[in-house]
Amino acid sequence: MRFLSDDRKVESKSPCMQVIAAGLSRCATSSLQAALESDVLGYEPCMHMAHIAPHADREKLILAALKETNAKERQKILHKVFDGYKATSDYPGWIFTDDLMDMYPDAIVILNQRESAEAWLQSIGQSLKFFGTMSYYVPTFLWQTDRLHYWMHIYGYERLKERFPNLKGLYTTEFYQLHNDWVREEAKKRGRKVVEWYPKDSWKPICEALDKEPPKDGRPFPRLNDSAQMALVKRILIGRGLISWAALGAAVWAGWTYGPGLLREYL
């Protein structure tokens, strides 16, 4: 299941990033990933949080990058994650947009957005906010990938607070606007054009920016809604975490209850 398992193999690890989708999570990132990987656009593989969360080694690299304050050293770490991918959409890509623009100077920058800041706020609060809370951390603590996932959120928050020191909260419409303006400003510093895109725009602006032909078969733009799946993922993660705690408790109880007797018998 997406976000829980990932068997994708990236054959090449050479730098080949051609598209940087810099919009925040819950800004049609999965739909955009599907479009980028389709036969219409052909930018496969596309990095997405779904290809990070199931892998402790990748999560550790992202954590190391979030903690690294030296840009050159941070980008060395990020090359280990993003090289070999032709595109990126969703976290952790968007939080490193400035680094990615330096690492891949020829990549097209797309700023994928929701129809409004309010719509984004409602969506993010219903889906991803949970993963940075103790309600997630404590039940899932025994699973390394889940522990690391939690800390990715925490250190991500710290990095964003440093980037926007006057920010009153990350789950605010203010943050949504600040991030989008930051992407535009970082692109402007580097003389890069930003393709502003909303899901209602469909294929046309992206195809034009990437010099691709829109689909002639009239197919609609992919529309993946991760909200329902994320709700299921939450239940599975919490469920397996609680089962792990129960198993650990049972093992400790059995050892405490029967262990001394077994030791006396065999000694």
Side-chain angles (χ1 to χ4, degrees):
M1 177 182 288
R2 191 169 163 86
F3 298 102
L4 294 176
S5 62
D6 174 43
D7 57 3
R8 167 170 294 192
K9 298 290 189 296
V10 178
E11 300 299 333
S12 170
K13 292 302 289 183
S14 61
C16 61
M17 185 76 66
Q18 299 172 58
V19 183
I20 299 169
L24 292 169
S25 301
R26 304 306 302 156
C27 288
T29 53
S30 293
S31 299
L32 189 52
Q33 179 198 20
L36 289 166
E37 293 185 333
S38 71
D39 58 343
V40 176
L41 299 178
Y43 294 98
E44 186 178 10
C46 176
M47 173 59 77
H48 188 281
M49 186 59 187
H51 303 310
I52 297 291
H55 304 282
D57 56 339
R58 298 179 192 176
E59 290 177 313
K60 289 176 182 177
L61 287 172
I62 297 301
L63 276 171
L66 288 169
K67 296 175 185 179
E68 181 57 64
T69 58
N70 181 279
K72 289 187 177 179
E73 293 303 315
R74 183 171 59 249
Q75 289 169 21
K76 287 180 182 178
I77 298 170
L78 292 174
H79 272 296
K80 297 177 182 179
V81 178
F82 289 93
D83 283 359
Y85 286 83
K86 294 183 179 180
T88 181
S89 176
D90 199 58
Y91 192 86
W94 61 255
I95 202 169
F96 297 114
T97 295
D98 51 348
D99 288 312
L100 296 179
M101 284 193 282
D102 290 337
M103 293 160 57
Y104 310 106
D106 298 323
I108 299 296
V109 180
I110 297 174
L111 183 52
N112 44 303
Q113 301 164 67
R114 293 292 290 243
E115 60 272 20
S116 69
E118 290 74 18
W120 171 82
L121 181 60
Q122 181 180 9
S123 179
I124 201 78
Q126 292 175 347
S127 56
L128 300 181
K129 185 178 180 179
F130 171 75
F131 294 105
T133 66
M134 296 304 291
S135 297
Y136 170 64
Y137 184 65
V138 173
T140 63
F141 179 81
L142 296 178
W143 287 78
Q144 183 185 32
T145 52
D146 298 345
R147 288 198 309 273
L148 293 171
H149 187 191
Y150 167 83
W151 287 111
M152 282 175 60
H153 280 266
I154 298 303
Y155 280 100
Y157 301 160
E158 294 303 314
R159 185 171 181 82
L160 291 169
K161 289 175 185 176
E162 293 173 2
R163 181 174 296 164
F164 308 120
N166 296 321
L167 184 65
K168 295 179 181 179
L170 293 178
Y171 294 103
T172 62
T173 56
E174 178 193 21
F175 169 61
Y176 177 85
Q177 299 292 358
L178 283 172
H179 171 77
N180 289 346
D181 288 342
W182 172 78
V183 170
R184 297 180 185 108
E185 185 61 29
E186 291 299 318
K188 184 178 179 181
K189 289 178 185 177
R190 295 162 175 81
R192 306 280 282 275
K193 176 184 176 182
V194 174
V195 180
E196 306 268 348
W197 181 82
Y198 297 84
K200 63 181 176 58
D201 296 330
S202 192
W203 295 100
K204 185 177 179 181
I206 294 178
C207 287
E208 288 179 351
L210 300 177
D211 196 25
K212 300 284 186 177
E213 287 288 331
K216 296 180 180 179
D217 55 9
R219 79 180 78 173
F221 196 88
R223 187 174 181 178
L224 277 66
N225 186 347
D226 279 337
S227 296
Q229 187 169 49
M230 289 306 298
L232 177 59
V233 167
K234 288 178 190 178
R235 291 196 292 270
I236 292 174
L237 294 179
I238 295 299
R240 76 179 185 183
L242 292 175
I243 290 171
S244 298
W245 277 113
L248 177 62
V252 170
W253 177 84
W256 181 266
T257 303
Y258 300 108
L262 291 172
L263 285 174
R264 285 193 298 270
E265 181 177 341
Y266 286 101
L267 293 178

